[in-house]
Amino acid sequence: MPGFTESLSQFKYILFFVTLIFGVPLGYFLSINFPKIEKVIFFFMIFFTARMEDINFVSHELYRGTSRGFEIGMVDLMTFIIFLLILHRRNRYPIRWFPPGSVLYLSYFFFSFLSIGNATLYLEFFYEIWKMIRMYFYFWVIYNYINSFDKFEEMMKGFSIIIIFISVFVLKQKYIDGIFQTPGPFPHQNSLVMYLTILNCLVFAYIMNKKRKIKLWYWLLVLGLGTVSVISTYSRAGLVVYAIAIATVLFFSFVEGASVRKVIITFMVMVLGVIVLIRAMDTIIQRFETAPEESTNTRILLAQSAVNMANDKTLGIGLNNFGLKVNLPYPYSSHIEGITPESKNGLVETIYLMIAAETGWHNLVVFLIMLFWFYFRNFASYIKYRNTDIHYLTIGIAGGLLGIYLQSSLEWVLKQTNNFYQLMMVFAIIVVLPKLERRYKILQRKRSIYYAG
């Protein structure tokens, strides 16, 4: 079928450029005149982080790295339409060119770029640089686009649709295609776990803490489907991390205040969870008991290779160059028994050591500061937004981000495009909340002056 595959690939390029030349301007003008079209485009801006539809310019698909080409996809086109809307409304909603957190991210970007001095694969280096630029643009657009609390309701509805979509994908793979560890629409099952951890936490927090009346049956169904999808991956680390994330949401929900409603919902969720676990328990136990020791040993050996790289090169061995330098003739994996020039070792299974190896220990420190800065910024909003109708956002993010941070110590999937986009979306929401709080206070002050006059 090579002819068919080649034709399909050419069709993707044609479709992409048609969408870029005609779809983007059309989407922009329709959004200006029809608010529902704007909502659809914003939804797809998030949806295409789960279902990636993209093309690679100058791709290297066989390279074992975190980026394999100059990707650009539908999510970028949707983001560009929203960017044009932001420019169109700049008089009504002033643009902040460097949103909070930008200095930390750009510092991380700067030190990542400095590693070019030790890079061997320059093209692969710029694959990752291009990805990081796209991620910041996505973060920037979401921050400047969200200018009211109503947008969060739209996002939650969108998240529920995405969870249902992923769940249908997973159930098809599991029961029709016969796939044991289902990845859904993602490159790997661990990517799916990380992606759904934050969404499921937000849904659970929404159910537990939303003050306005909601369709409880619908949101419980969404949470159930999302949880089943996570369990269907049979990811050992993922299941443990997911349980910790959900428990964190439960904890902060009751810190906010106990109620009969919360107790009943907790009981219902626990009962449903037990039923699902009983159904899958045999397979889960088998997965834990039969996991090969070689997998753990390989993780340790690759971690040692990463440490060797970070210790050898102050600025790192080069962004997205780990896949090359973990092998011979480079000396960093000489401790691995039986390694030969033909050996092809994988990537270190922790994003933290990968960052240290590729861009230096100092940049790992910058990255960790960035992660904790956003987490504690969210905790500040958790305190400020208590007893409000959107407090659930801060609670869901507290659980979901903790899950992402913990899983990243065991997996490098946060560097995959889907999960990287989602992380930047969450970061944007975190820094949007203080902006909306200030805007709300200013509006309240103006109303008080008006009525006093």
Side-chain angles (χ1 to χ4, degrees):
M1 299 284 288
F4 175 76
T5 305
E6 185 178 343
S7 298
L8 190 61
S9 177
Q10 291 175 351
F11 178 74
K12 285 184 67 174
Y13 280 89
I14 294 171
L15 182 62
F16 172 81
F17 282 109
V18 168
T19 305
L20 176 63
I21 296 170
F22 299 103
V24 170
L26 181 62
Y28 167 65
F29 288 115
L30 288 176
S31 297
I32 291 175
N33 295 289
F34 302 99
K36 288 185 178 180
I37 299 295
E38 178 185 336
K39 290 181 180 179
V40 170
I41 289 173
F42 184 58
F43 164 73
F44 278 117
M45 178 179 162
I46 300 172
F47 173 81
F48 283 120
T49 64
R51 176 60 173 176
M52 298 296 297
E53 294 292 346
D54 52 24
I55 59 175
N56 267 335
F57 295 94
V58 196
S59 64
H60 188 175
E61 295 298 329
L62 298 180
Y63 177 65
R64 291 190 176 189
T66 54
S67 293
R68 301 179 182 181
F70 292 112
E71 297 176 324
I72 187 166
M74 293 300 294
V75 60
D76 303 296
L77 298 185
M78 299 300 109
T79 304
F80 190 67
I81 294 174
I82 299 298
F83 170 71
L84 294 176
L85 290 175
I86 292 170
L87 295 181
H88 177 74
R89 297 167 180 166
R90 61 187 178 277
N91 292 330
R92 182 180 177 187
Y93 299 111
I95 294 172
R96 184 161 183 178
W97 294 102
F98 292 97
S102 294
V103 172
L104 287 170
Y105 184 85
L106 294 176
S107 298
Y108 170 59
F109 177 86
F110 172 74
F111 288 118
S112 295
F113 194 90
L114 282 185
S115 69
I116 192 173
N118 295 323
T120 301
L121 301 175
Y122 292 105
L123 194 60
E124 284 73 7
F125 173 91
F126 282 104
Y127 289 164
E128 191 71 18
I129 288 293
W130 169 241
K131 181 197 291 182
M132 294 177 72
I133 293 171
R134 290 160 62 210
M135 297 304 141
Y136 181 75
F137 182 64
Y138 192 75
F139 164 81
W140 188 96
V141 167
I142 292 179
Y143 174 83
N144 282 288
Y145 177 69
I146 298 178
N147 286 293
S148 72
F149 294 116
D150 293 338
K151 285 289 189 297
F152 295 129
E153 283 298 313
E154 294 177 26
M155 294 181 78
M156 287 304 300
K157 291 175 184 176
F159 292 158
S160 70
I161 295 171
I162 292 170
I163 291 173
I164 292 171
F165 168 78
I166 293 172
S167 301
V168 171
F169 216 104
V170 166
L171 293 174
K172 173 186 176 295
Q173 290 176 336
K174 185 176 180 64
Y175 293 107
I176 297 178
D177 300 335
I179 299 175
F180 177 62
Q181 290 185 274
T182 52
F186 297 88
H188 194 274
Q189 62 266 17
N190 293 329
S191 310
L192 183 150
V193 172
M194 183 176 286
Y195 194 93
L196 280 182
T197 293
I198 189 70
L199 294 192
N200 287 350
C201 282
L202 285 168
V203 169
F204 187 37
Y206 187 80
I207 293 170
M208 291 288 286
N209 299 280
K210 186 67 176 175
K211 298 186 181 303
R212 296 179 186 176
K213 189 175 180 180
I214 61 174
K215 293 181 179 178
L216 186 59
W217 65 270
Y218 172 77
W219 290 101
L220 284 174
L221 174 64
V222 169
L223 179 61
L225 288 172
T227 301
V228 167
S229 296
V230 170
I231 293 174
S232 296
T233 64
Y234 298 120
S235 168
R236 291 169 296 160
L239 291 174
V240 173
V241 167
Y242 180 67
I244 294 173
I246 290 294
T248 302
V249 173
L250 190 65
F251 171 77
F252 281 113
S253 295
F254 276 98
V255 168
E256 170 70 3
S259 66
V260 175
R261 178 174 176 270
K262 287 183 179 180
V263 172
I264 293 174
I265 291 173
T266 302
F267 178 75
M268 291 173 62
V269 170
M270 289 179 66
V271 169
L272 291 173
V274 168
I275 293 172
V276 173
L277 282 175
I278 290 174
R279 175 70 178 82
M281 185 58 70
D282 291 342
T283 309
I284 293 173
I285 292 174
Q286 181 185 8
R287 172 75 178 121
F288 274 85
E289 290 180 344
T290 61
E293 291 186 13
E294 291 81 3
S295 176
T296 302
N297 293 335
T298 300
R299 285 172 179 264
I300 295 172
L301 293 172
L302 290 175
Q304 291 172 345
S305 298
V307 171
N308 292 339
M309 295 176 189
N311 289 338
D312 183 50
K313 300 293 184 182
T314 302
L315 297 179
I317 52 96
L319 194 65
N320 202 21
N321 273 235
F322 189 98
L324 171 72
K325 298 187 178 181
V326 72
N327 300 304
L328 294 177
Y330 299 94
Y332 305 116
S333 298
S334 58
H335 60 283
I336 300 178
E337 293 183 8
I339 188 171
T340 67
E342 290 74 32
S343 300
K344 296 296 180 183
N345 291 305
L347 301 178
V348 60
E349 291 289 353
T350 161
I351 192 175
Y352 304 121
L353 284 182
M354 181 178 288
I355 290 172
E358 293 189 341
T359 62
W361 289 115
H362 59 288
N363 204 30
L364 173 60
V365 173
V366 172
F367 184 72
L368 291 174
I369 291 172
M370 180 178 71
L371 295 187
F372 284 107
W373 184 87
F374 277 104
Y375 198 86
F376 287 111
R377 189 69 182 262
N378 178 67
F379 189 73
S381 292
Y382 165 82
I383 295 172
K384 289 181 179 179
Y385 277 94
R386 292 191 70 175
N387 300 316
T388 68
D389 199 41
I390 62 165
H391 195 220
Y392 71 89
L393 266 177
T394 62
I395 295 174
I397 289 174
L401 263 192
L402 178 62
I404 289 176
Y405 293 175
L406 290 175
Q407 189 178 346
S408 292
S409 65
L410 303 167
E411 308 286 352
W412 64 268
V413 295
L414 187 56
K415 281 220 172 195
Q416 289 187 345
T417 307
N418 312 68
N419 302 104
F420 204 161
Y421 268 128
Q422 190 190 48
L423 178 71
M424 299 308 287
M425 177 190 70
V426 173
F427 282 174
I429 293 173
I430 289 172
V431 292
V432 156
L433 287 173
K435 177 182 77 170
L436 295 183
E437 180 200 16
R438 289 192 297 271
R439 185 165 294 168
Y440 178 76
K441 287 182 177 178
I442 292 172
L443 182 62
Q444 289 293 93
R445 194 179 302 119
K446 287 181 178 179
R447 286 176 177 173
S448 299
I449 294 172
Y450 173 79
Y451 287 117

